[in-house]
Amino acid sequence: MIETLRFWAIVVLLGLGVFFTLVSTIGVLRLPDIYSRAHTASQTDTLGAGFALAAVALAFGWQHAAVYTVLLLFFIFITNPTAAHAIARSAAESGVEPLLAEEGDADGSDTEPTAATDGGDADGGETR
Amino acid sequence: MTLESLGLASGVGLEELFLAAATAFVVLAIAMFYRAVAGPTTQDRLLAVNVLGTNTVVILALLAAALDQAWFLDVALIYALLNFLMSIAISKFTVERGGVL
């Protein structure tokens, strides 16, 4: 009974890991900007690797290798968003502009606060 | 190690599942090579290589579970350390010195 439960838990964890890594790969290949790619690579790939390593740790059971796997999971969980943050910061400091920077700074910031202050607190709270 | 005792009644064991997951990760890592080659900026290539390194660590852990070779996890741990160090060092050197070389 408990072995069957463990088997299906391993299957579900492996499927979730492959799914989230697939989402991360599609995001890195298809998103238009370095910042959005760093975003999807930091969180989705961390989640996919975490699920796959949890499946490995559950498959090993109570022995030394499971401790190694949990240590590896914790380490990847800490360092992968840190590395993505460092890459995005290096892109920002070396002059890579975000894709929507010109429109957002020139026109959008002028029109949006006036629309927000006109549309205001009274209308926005009641009519919607 | 009781991997043989687990499994479906239809003969699909846990080793085949781990090998199939490792194959899927290898395919996704090969697809990631497109961004590492064709990335417009250096940071795109660095991000793709970082994700490739994470995929490699997961593949090593899956193979350690599938082949029952626990020492693969030591290789995976050291690879994760070197991957993180590579990302931090290159992203620092591209700002301060304009490149690694």
Side-chain angles (χ1 to χ4, degrees):
Chain A
M1 178 59 199
I2 194 69
E3 293 297 314
T4 310
L5 194 63
R6 195 176 88 167
F7 175 77
W8 285 110
I10 288 170
V11 170
V12 167
L13 284 174
L14 274 180
L16 282 175
V18 171
F19 171 71
F20 279 109
T21 310
L22 175 68
V23 171
S24 167
T25 305
I26 290 172
V28 173
L29 287 184
R30 292 293 296 164
L31 282 176
D33 200 3
I34 173 64
Y35 301 105
S36 51
R37 283 171 200 150
H39 162 75
T40 185
S42 64
Q43 52 189 3
T44 319
D45 192 57
T46 306
L47 196 58
F51 275 129
L53 289 175
V56 172
L58 196 57
F60 271 119
W62 288 106
Q63 49 180 323
H64 294 120
V67 181
Y68 276 106
T69 313
V70 172
L71 198 65
L72 190 62
L73 196 157
F74 180 72
F75 185 71
I76 280 185
F77 210 76
I78 295 297
T79 60
N80 208 353
T82 311
H85 170 76
I87 290 166
R89 180 171 174 171
S90 125
E93 287 182 356
S94 62
V96 178
E97 289 293 324
L99 192 66
L100 301 175
E102 296 89 1
E103 301 170 0
D105 287 333
D107 296 331
S109 62
D110 289 331
T111 59
E112 282 179 358
T114 58
T117 51
D118 287 338
D121 296 328
D123 288 333
E126 292 175 356
T127 58
R128 289 177 185 172
Chain B
M1 197 65 192
T2 60
L3 276 180
E4 286 82 7
S5 66
L6 297 174
L8 294 173
S10 64
V12 178
L14 212 47
E15 296 92 353
E16 286 83 5
L17 277 175
F18 277 113
L19 283 179
T23 309
F25 272 94
V26 166
V27 169
L28 292 176
I30 289 172
M32 193 66 76
F33 264 110
Y34 170 74
R35 184 56 66 198
V37 171
T41 63
T42 309
Q43 282 82 19
D44 279 318
R45 296 188 172 95
L46 183 55
L47 185 74
V49 170
N50 189 17
V51 177
L52 272 170
T54 309
N55 277 341
T56 308
V57 169
V58 174
I59 287 163
L60 278 171
L62 288 173
L63 286 181
L67 304 177
D68 200 6
Q69 303 284 325
W71 58 274
F72 278 12
L73 291 172
D74 300 340
V75 185
L77 199 54
I78 293 174
Y79 199 90
L81 275 165
L82 286 178
N83 189 27
F84 175 64
L85 194 65
M86 183 267 305
S87 295
I88 295 297
I90 295 178
S91 63
K92 192 173 177 59
F93 286 164
T94 47
V95 174
E96 289 185 355
R97 301 184 189 176
V100 182
L101 300 177

